[in-house]
Amino acid sequence: MNLASALSAYTALNVAVVVAVLGLLAVESLRRHASALKLLGFHYWIAGGLAVTALVAAVLPAPQLFEPSASIWSAQEFAGFSPPALEPVSGYMSFGAGATNLDAGSVSRAWIATVLMLLAAGSFRLSRDALALRRIRRQSHCIRRHGRVRIWLNDTVRTPFSYWIPGSAHVVLPSYLLERGDHLRMVLAHELQHHRQRDTVWLYFFRALGWLCALNPFAHLWKRRLGRMQEFACDEALITRRGWSADVYARCLLDVAAREREAAPGFRLSTPLIRFGDPLVLTRRIEMMMQPKRLTFIKPLQMSIVAALLALMTLAAYAAGGWVQDRRVTREQAEAMAERVSANSGFTVVVNDEVLHELNRYAGTPEGREFMRASLQRFEGYRSEVVASLAKHGVPAELAAVPLVESGYQNLDASHNRLSSAGIWQFIPNTALAFGLRVDGQVDDRLDAERLTDAAGRMLRADHLRFTDWQLALMAFNMGAHGLQKAIDTTGSRDPWTLIRAGHEGDRGYLARVHAAVLIAANPGSVAP
C-alpha cells in the first residue's frame, strides 16, 4: 500500500465513523423511548459493518467523484525533474490548488511514525491495564467457576467490574457486597449481563478505534455513548426480569456509588457497574428505570435501518477514498499500458528505468500533464494526416507520437531555438534540404505539416532500412545515422539502451521520451486532470 492509498483509507475510515455516529444519533433521537437493548444492537451491527466498509473502500479503485484534496507527484516542475542518473525523487504532495507543497517522503515518514506512536501508546495502555487486572485477580478469591466464567471477591476494590480475555470471562466483586445478599445478586447479574451482551468483547474494538482515530471527535463520542448504552441495556435487562424491583435495584446502584467513589477502577479493559466520568449518567439510569415499558423495533424495520446506514457508510467511505491520489505511474501500471500498445503493433514499447522516469516526467508532474493534454488535443487536428503518411512509408502508427516529444504538435518556426529547427517534426535546415524540402528566406517547407510529415516518414523508413530496428531508427532520427553508426562501432553493441547507457545519444533521454509519449498517446487517461 502506497502513501496515497494509506491516507485515503484512513480518511475513508474516519468519514465512515462520522456517518455511523450521525446515523446512530438520528436513530436514538427518533426513538427516544426505544429499548436500550435494541439500540445497543444497532451500535454493534454498525460497528461490525464499519470494518467491512473501511476494507471495501480500501480495496476498490479510487473514485473520481470529485477533485482530490491532495495529490502526490513525481516532482514539482516538469523542467526541474531530475535526470534518472541522479538519486530518485521521493515525490511531493500538493494540497488544494497546489499552494501548499510537502515532500512526500517526509509525509510518509511522519505517517509511519504517527501510526507507530499510536500503536505503541495503545499497546502500553493495554499492557498496563492487563497487568493491573492480573494483580487484582491474584489478590482476589475465586468464589465460583462456571464454564469459562470466573467470579472473584476482592477486599480492596470498591466498584464491581467485569472484563474479558481470550478464553475466559471474569467478574470482580467487592467483598462488602456480602453484607447485602440482594445487592450481591443484582450486581452479579448486572456484570454477567455485560458478558451476555458481549460488551466486554466489543470494548477492545472501540478502544482500538479510539486510538486509531485519535483526532476524530466522533470516534470518542461514539465510545462514550456506547458506554452509556451498555449500562442502560444491562439495567433494562435486569428490571424486566420477573421478581426484580426497580426501586431495590436503584438503591443498589446508589449504595455502590456512595462507597469511596475515588476508588473506582479506571481500567480500559473493564466495564464497571458505575461509570463516574459523567455525574448525570447515574441519574439518567435511574430515571430510565422508572419509565414505563420501552418501545422495541420490529425485526424488518431494524434490519432495514441497519442496511440503510451500512449503505450510506460504504458510499461515504468510497467517495472519500479518492481524497489523496498518487499521480505517479508505477512500473506495473506502465507495463500494463505497454501491453495494450504492443498487442496490435509492429512497434514494441519498452518499459525500463529510463522510460518510467520520462513517463513520470510527463504524467507525474502538474506541468507535464498539462503539456501532454494540450499536445494530445493539438494532435487530434493532425492525426489522420500523420498516420496516413507514416503508413504510406511503412512506419508504425505509434511513431506519430514523435512530434509530441519534438514540438508538442506545435508548428513552430525557426526563431524559437538556436538550432533553427522548425515544424511539428522539428527538422533542422540541413535535414530538411536532404529530404527535398525548401528552406530559404522566402519559403520554409518545414511549416507545411503535410510535406514535413512525408519527409519524416521517408527519413524514418530510410533509417529503419539501414539499422533494421525501429528503436535504432528513432535514435538515428535524433542524432543522425552517421553518429549512431559510430556509436555502434565504438561499443560493438546494437542494443539501443546499451548505447544510451554508454553515453551515446543525441538529446538526453530522447528515446525514453518517445516511448513515454507512445504510452501516453495510447492511454490519454494517464494525463487526465
Side-chain angles (χ1 to χ4, degrees), residues 99-131:
T100 303
N101 299 317
L102 297 174
D103 175 65
S106 300
V107 173
S108 181
R109 289 188 290 272
W111 165 254
I112 294 173
T114 301
V115 171
L116 292 177
M117 286 176 60
L118 289 173
L119 289 175
S123 300
F124 172 75
R125 293 180 178 183
L126 190 71
S127 301
R128 184 185 63 184
D129 287 356
L131 290 174

Side-chain angles (χ1 to χ4, degrees), residues 31 38 42 295-305:
R31 303 285 287 183
K38 293 296 183 182
F42 274 112
L295 300 175
T296 187
F297 290 90
I298 58 174
K299 196 73 171 179
L301 177 60
Q302 182 180 8
M303 297 310 297
S304 298
I305 295 175

Side-chain angles (χ1 to χ4, degrees), residues 324-343:
V324 181
Q325 290 187 1
D326 196 333
R327 302 291 193 170
R328 298 171 296 184
V329 181
T330 65
R331 182 177 291 272
E332 292 73 19
Q333 291 170 331
E335 289 173 349
M337 293 165 67
E339 287 180 7
R340 290 192 290 269
V341 174
S342 303

Side-chain angles (χ1 to χ4, degrees), residues 203-224:
L203 182 144
Y204 288 88
F205 173 85
F206 282 93
R207 292 301 178 193
L209 183 65
W211 294 330
L212 188 60
C213 303
L215 299 180
N216 188 341
F218 285 87
H220 301 289
L221 174 63
W222 192 359
K223 188 170 62 175
R224 288 195 301 271

Side-chain angles (χ1 to χ4, degrees), residues 15-51 202 205-206 209 218-230 232 297 301-313:
V15 169
V17 168
V18 172
V19 174
V21 173
L22 292 177
L24 288 168
L25 289 174
V27 172
E28 291 179 15
S29 63
L30 292 174
R31 303 285 287 183
R32 289 185 180 277
H33 301 292
S35 166
L37 285 166
K38 293 296 183 182
L39 290 175
L40 182 63
F42 274 112
H43 281 267
Y44 289 156
W45 273 102
I46 299 304
L50 178 67
W202 278 104
F205 173 85
F206 282 93
L209 183 65
F218 285 87
H220 301 289
L221 174 63
W222 192 359
K223 188 170 62 175
R224 288 195 301 271
R225 294 192 70 86
L226 179 73
R228 299 175 188 177
M229 194 60 64
Q230 289 172 340
F232 295 154
F297 290 90
L301 177 60
Q302 182 180 8
M303 297 310 297
S304 298
I305 295 175
V306 169
L309 273 178
L310 290 178
L312 189 59
M313 286 167 53

Side-chain angles (χ1 to χ4, degrees), residues 462-473 494:
D463 289 334
H464 183 263
L465 288 173
R466 178 172 180 176
F467 296 104
T468 66
D469 182 271
W470 286 115
Q471 314 285 335
L472 293 175
R494 287 176 50 84

Side-chain angles (χ1 to χ4, degrees), residues 406-407 410-429 444 446-447 507:
E406 293 283 357
S407 66
Q410 300 176 83
N411 202 10
L412 303 171
D413 61 33
S415 64
H416 76 285
N417 65 75
R418 61 182 180 82
L419 297 177
S420 298
S421 58
I424 62 173
W425 292 86
Q426 288 292 285
F427 269 32
I428 61 175
D444 191 344
R446 295 175 298 174
L447 299 180
D507 296 332

